[in-house]
Amino acid sequence: MPRVTKLFNRTRKAIQDFDLLKILESELNHELSSMRYQDDQIGSFGDFVVEWDSPKSQDVLLRKKYSSGDEVAISALLGRDTFQGDGRLPREALLKICIKKPGLSSILQFDCVASNKGEPSFDIQNTHYIKSSSCIDSSAYRGPLFSDLDPALQHELRQYLVARGIEENFANSLLVHLHRKEQGQYMDWLQKLKSMMVKHE
């Protein structure tokens, strides 16, 4: 009886492995045939230099330094699914934009969200003045929500970012880049899993 049980377990495992291999091949073929984000045009990141974009990480870091000495750093990654349906960019991008003036230790930080539900959208969620980059305290009061600020001040802060090349088209390019990156990582993972299964077989 132990032999029969062992043989049965091996047979069941082989069937399961074969089904899993077929599922992996089907999913990989689907991803290869759809290439969902290839039709979405990635625009330019302007004068921003891609400082970090590891294929093993979810985030990307862009940096720009002006002749005046001002520095702008943008860290971005995909957030949760934001809507259901036929949207080709179903996830929003979460951006942290930090601007530093020469000779100062303080930083002006913007927390932003980029999405595309048919039309590119770029919204500022919060703006913080951080006195020093060496003493960031997460419990410290960071001021009111951006939406609670005076509308004229909101407009000026938006224009402040636009003047630095950070607007809807830039944010949409970053959003498409992050979606393509995630799809590439998913396809690599499927391929590795399939290779492991074939090797195991």
Side-chain angles (χ1 to χ4, degrees), residues 6-201:
K6 194 173 181 181
L7 181 63
F8 175 75
N9 286 338
R10 278 186 183 172
T11 305
R12 186 177 63 180
K13 187 175 185 316
I15 291 169
Q16 288 171 342
D17 287 350
F18 181 67
D19 285 346
L20 181 56
L21 188 58
K22 285 198 300 189
I23 291 166
L24 285 171
E25 286 174 345
S26 173
E27 182 66 11
L28 194 53
N29 288 335
H30 170 72
E31 289 295 322
L32 285 167
S33 66
S34 66
M35 295 302 281
R36 288 170 287 174
Y37 309 116
Q38 298 309 307
D39 293 338
D40 296 282
Q41 296 299 313
I42 291 183
S44 168
F45 292 144
D47 296 334
F48 283 91
V49 175
V50 178
E51 192 164 291
W52 170 263
D53 191 17
S54 170
K56 294 184 179 180
S57 73
Q58 295 179 345
D59 61 334
V60 62
L61 176 64
L62 307 174
R63 193 177 296 272
K64 181 177 183 180
K65 191 165 186 176
Y66 293 85
S67 56
S68 62
D70 289 14
E71 285 185 69
V72 180
I74 301 173
S75 174
L77 58 92
L78 289 177
R80 298 186 306 269
D81 288 354
T82 53
F83 62 97
Q84 303 294 324
D86 297 331
R88 287 183 297 186
L89 300 172
R91 299 177 70 189
E92 61 189 14
L94 308 176
L95 289 76
K96 280 202 182 301
I97 302 166
C98 296
I99 301 173
K100 187 175 182 300
K101 293 282 187 183
L104 299 176
S105 60
S106 57
I107 294 171
L108 184 59
Q109 177 183 306
F110 294 85
D111 298 330
C112 304
V113 174
S115 62
N116 190 331
K117 303 174 185 179
E119 290 293 326
S121 170
F122 178 65
D123 298 307
I124 301 171
Q125 303 290 308
N126 290 302
T127 305
H128 313 290
Y129 171 77
I130 302 170
K131 192 171 182 180
S132 171
S133 57
S134 61
C135 60
I136 297 173
D137 181 6
S138 59
S139 64
Y141 175 65
R142 295 205 173 192
L145 293 173
F146 184 79
S147 57
D148 291 339
L149 296 176
D150 181 270
L153 179 57
Q154 289 182 40
H155 174 75
E156 290 303 317
L157 287 170
R158 283 192 193 96
Q159 292 307 113
Y160 183 74
L161 291 181
V162 168
R164 280 149 187 79
I166 306 166
E167 36 67 48
E168 284 181 356
N169 289 333
F170 170 86
N172 194 60
S173 295
L174 199 48
L175 183 62
V176 171
H177 176 80
L178 289 168
H179 275 84
R180 283 190 187 176
K181 178 176 180 169
E182 183 186 58
Q183 185 181 34
Q185 289 173 333
Y186 179 55
M187 288 171 66
D188 285 347
W189 178 79
L190 287 173
Q191 190 60 57
K192 284 177 185 173
L193 200 53
K194 179 185 169 185
S195 298
M196 284 173 55
M197 293 293 297
V198 169
K199 189 177 178 181
H200 176 69
E201 287 292 319

